[in-house]
Amino acid sequence: MFTWKKEIDVYRETATLVVGIQEQNVPSPFLPIVDKLKEKKDQLFDFATVTEWLPIDGFQCRAVLFVGLGNKEKYTIKDLQTICSKIYKGLKDDSVILVDTFYPLSQDTAWLVEKMTETIGLVRYTFRGYKTKKTEDLEKTLGTVTFVAPEDVSAAIESGVILAEATNHTRDLVNEPRNKMTPLTLADYARDLALQLGLEFKIFDKKEIEALGMGAFLAVNQGSSIEPRLIHLKYRNRPSDPQVTALIGKGVTYDTGGYSLKPRTSMAGMKTDMAGAAAVLGAIEAIAKKKLPVNVDVVIAATENLISSEAIVPDDVVVSMSGKTIEILNTDAEGRLTLVDAITYAKKNGATRLIDVATLTGGVITALGLDITGGFTNNQDFYKAFEEAAKQSGEDIWQLPVDPFREACRKSDVADYNNSPGREGHASFGAAMLAEFAEDTPWIHLDIAGTSGKRSDYLLGPAGATGVMVRTLVKLFELESQLF
Ligand code: BES
Ligand code: ZN
Ligand code: ZN
């Protein structure tokens, strides 16, 4: 629980006090203590060094956590996240954060409180999963975190909580195994979310998807005994504006590769191939809870990519919803097949801008590693705005090219397109295929194959799903709302 107070009596407070310190900048009540502590500990003031002091006399608090802020000229959001992550590890029961002692990082009180709330909310995430034994992590309770700040920061706290919760919901969806997270479960989750948020929605079953003519999407589903679902949620809070942004998430709930079967080492982990879908659901949750004055659609073509005698094979040709035909050269390049139809559907239903989020290619990992999302676009102004949102959220993205890769997607003896032009640059091949279907509609593609999960514990939480791009998507709309 997070709350705020205008002031406290530091001598009488009983909860743990959290105090930022710099060598030349120690809040006066703590000067004598810090003077003593620094004799014993050289790194006391070093950036992100947390020192716990247990009071002897004068103070009634359980402990003071002194947080070294270092002496940087400029601090980034990552610096704040690093500090919060360290603070969180030192918190027990109730605590009180003296926000003004963190002003060297930023003078913006509301921003500090929002980001501290958000980061603590992210760091303390755990996926309970299906372990029958309780772990210590799950038992750790945070108590109440009180921010002491000169102004009312309750809105900042609320915003931080919304962002952390939405991201953590995304992580939950991604961490679920395939047998618990099917297209049907995902659709049920989306429906419940829509009902809870009061959004208009429509979930299409297989027959309805067939009626829409989504031949590329349906082709991927052919090998699965579980029906596909097309999920469409609508958030409308700016009636005067014809602009509607569709957030399209890749929703392959398991990717075996199909007949172009994945080797066993790369198949494990493919339960996360719906991380894009989970991200756009997290984003719309936060956008709606924050009541942002924007119009946003979520579109997800949810299916498994499995094998049976019904499954697609290389050489098959499918007819997409747009009418364009696609020769399948590799059944493991299935994401683009689902997405091109989702893109066409979104456009036909009034979307004026498109952002797709997808664990699309291993190629993006080769290009950018595991910490940077690949960004692609057909509209540089749109991309610039998104890049700014990513920067402010502390989520790294890097732009990769699209246009030089279009031609190769169109090479096929029997169809308009092929779904897998080759391995060299295949993050861009995937993007180029999507661009061909986005056509003139401003579009951004985010390849999160590398960034949607972590193999080990990291700055913002435990190994597993990261919920990447939820906060950046929300930030984009927040920044745009400020311009209205
Ligand atoms: N779901 C995978 C991409 C992926 C790889 C996600 C690693 C997460 C981690 C995607 O459907 C896929 O298999 N892509 C192929 C494309 C190739 C066949 C052109 C790939 O990356 O190898
Ligand atoms: Zn695949
Ligand atoms: Zn896939």
Side-chain angles (χ1 to χ4, degrees):
M1 228 268 281
F2 297 91
T3 170
W4 85 278
K5 262 190 202 161
K6 208 175 171 83
E7 48 200 358
I8 54 152
D9 180 341
V10 291
Y11 300 104
R12 297 191 140 185
E13 180 58 52
T14 54
T16 298
L17 297 170
V18 182
V19 183
I21 52 169
Q22 288 180 309
E23 189 145 23
Q24 312 301 337
N25 196 0
V26 177
S28 54
F30 305 101
L31 257 173
I33 310 164
V34 170
D35 269 346
K36 269 193 207 147
L37 280 175
K38 77 178 174 202
E39 283 164 22
K40 282 189 239 147
K41 191 169 176 182
D42 290 343
Q43 316 92 315
L44 193 66
F45 300 106
D46 289 359
F47 177 72
T49 301
V50 174
T51 308
E52 187 180 53
W53 176 76
L54 300 174
I56 312 157
D57 47 28
F59 288 84
Q60 281 165 27
C61 53
R62 189 197 67 79
V64 182
L65 292 186
F66 289 109
V67 185
L69 302 181
N71 227 333
K72 303 192 184 195
E73 241 169 58
K74 221 175 169 280
Y75 288 89
T76 62
I77 177 161
K78 289 235 173 68
D79 291 327
L80 182 63
Q81 289 171 336
T82 306
I83 280 175
C84 290
S85 171
K86 288 276 181 65
I87 292 175
Y88 171 70
K89 291 189 177 97
L91 292 184
K92 294 182 194 91
D93 305 324
D94 294 347
S95 53
V96 172
I97 300 179
L98 305 183
V99 177
D100 62 353
T101 64
F102 290 88
Y103 280 167
L105 275 83
S106 163
Q107 305 273 5
D108 185 340
T109 311
W111 183 84
L112 276 174
V113 171
E114 179 191 317
K115 292 300 154 200
M116 284 180 158
T117 308
E118 172 188 313
T119 308
I120 292 170
L122 291 173
V123 175
R124 68 186 300 232
Y125 173 79
T126 48
F127 181 62
R128 176 123 189 44
Y130 300 89
K131 287 182 193 290
T132 48
K133 261 194 192 154
K134 275 196 178 173
T135 66
E136 229 176 72
D137 276 3
L138 287 170
E139 279 161 16
K140 174 166 175 174
T141 48
L142 192 56
T144 299
V145 177
T146 305
F147 293 102
V148 179
E151 61 192 73
D152 183 342
V153 289
S154 45
I157 291 174
E158 197 190 336
S159 173
V161 168
I162 290 173
L163 289 165
E165 279 183 0
T167 308
N168 290 342
H169 290 154
T170 295
R171 286 165 141 180
D172 275 342
L173 293 173
V174 179
N175 283 330
E176 288 289 353
R178 170 235 174 191
N179 57 336
K180 304 281 179 193
M181 185 51 61
T182 69
L184 311 184
T185 335
L186 190 63
D188 285 348
Y189 175 88
R191 185 201 51 219
D192 291 348
L193 184 71
L195 289 171
Q196 179 206 331
L197 300 171
L199 309 182
E200 233 185 275
F201 69 97
K202 169 104 180 99
I203 313 272
F204 298 78
D205 65 16
K206 188 172 173 181
K207 278 216 172 81
E208 292 167 313
I209 298 167
E210 282 166 354
L212 289 170
M214 300 179 111
F217 170 30
L218 285 163
V220 178
N221 180 251
Q222 269 170 230
S224 166
S225 61
I226 302 177
E227 274 207 10
R229 288 287 181 267
L230 177 70
I231 299 164
H232 182 190
L233 311 187
K234 279 185 182 192
Y235 171 75
R236 293 288 179 277
N237 197 18
R238 194 167 157 79
S240 62
D241 192 346
Q243 178 121 300
V244 176
T245 308
L247 306 180
I248 301 170
K250 173 173 172 182
V252 175
T253 54
Y254 202 82
D255 184 11
T256 64
Y259 275 104
S260 312
L261 191 64
K262 284 186 184 295
R264 60 179 158 265
T265 46
S266 28
M267 196 185 300
M270 281 301 142
K271 68 171 184 179
T272 67
D273 215 16
M274 36 59 76
V280 298
L281 288 170
I284 203 167
E285 173 185 336
I287 289 164
K289 286 188 174 163
K290 281 169 152 279
K291 302 192 175 65
L292 297 182
V294 294
N295 302 323
V296 172
D297 276 8
V298 154
V299 178
I300 297 164
T303 177
E304 302 184 316
N305 186 24
L306 263 69
I307 296 180
S308 78
S309 66
E310 306 291 313
I312 45 168
V313 293
D315 292 343
D316 279 354
V317 174
V318 300
V319 185
S320 69
M321 184 182 187
S322 69
K324 297 180 197 174
T325 55
I326 305 165
E327 180 185 12
I328 292 166
L329 296 180
N330 188 327
T331 64
D332 197 12
E334 85 297 340
R336 63 201 75 181
L337 295 173
T338 64
L339 288 166
V340 295
D341 277 349
I343 286 172
T344 304
Y345 171 87
K347 288 203 305 178
K348 283 195 174 166
N349 282 275
T352 56
R353 296 196 308 186
L354 309 166
I355 302 178
D356 79 76
V357 190
T359 46
L360 199 67
T361 66
V364 80
I365 303 174
T366 313
L368 299 176
L370 295 167
D371 298 318
I372 305 176
T373 294
F376 305 78
T377 190
N378 62 4
N379 184 310
Q380 213 50 41
D381 287 341
F382 188 18
Y383 189 83
K384 270 224 168 82
F386 191 82
E387 209 169 35
E388 178 58 27
K391 194 172 153 209
Q392 293 196 23
S393 304
E395 298 195 299
D396 292 323
I397 64 169
W398 201 271
Q399 191 174 0
L400 293 170
V402 178
D403 287 345
F405 294 83
R406 286 176 185 256
E407 193 55 43
C409 296
R410 294 196 207 111
K411 278 214 177 85
S412 167
D413 295 336
V414 292
D416 301 330
Y417 293 98
N418 79 80
N419 81 329
S420 184
R423 292 207 68 81
E424 288 82 24
H426 72 266
S428 287
F429 281 134
M433 176 85 164
L434 304 181
E436 289 287 308
F437 287 74
E439 297 174 308
D440 296 335
T441 308
W443 155 84
I444 292 170
H445 159 58
L446 302 164
D447 195 334
I448 58 166
T451 50
S452 55
K454 293 284 178 211
R455 291 182 190 140
S456 48
D457 296 356
Y458 72 115
L459 183 63
L460 295 179
T466 58
V468 73
M469 287 300 129
V470 171
R471 288 167 301 125
T472 297
L473 287 167
V474 180
K475 192 54 152 189
L476 172 74
F477 294 101
E478 236 167 17
L479 292 176
E480 289 185 346
S481 313
Q482 284 162 14
L483 302 174
F484 297 152

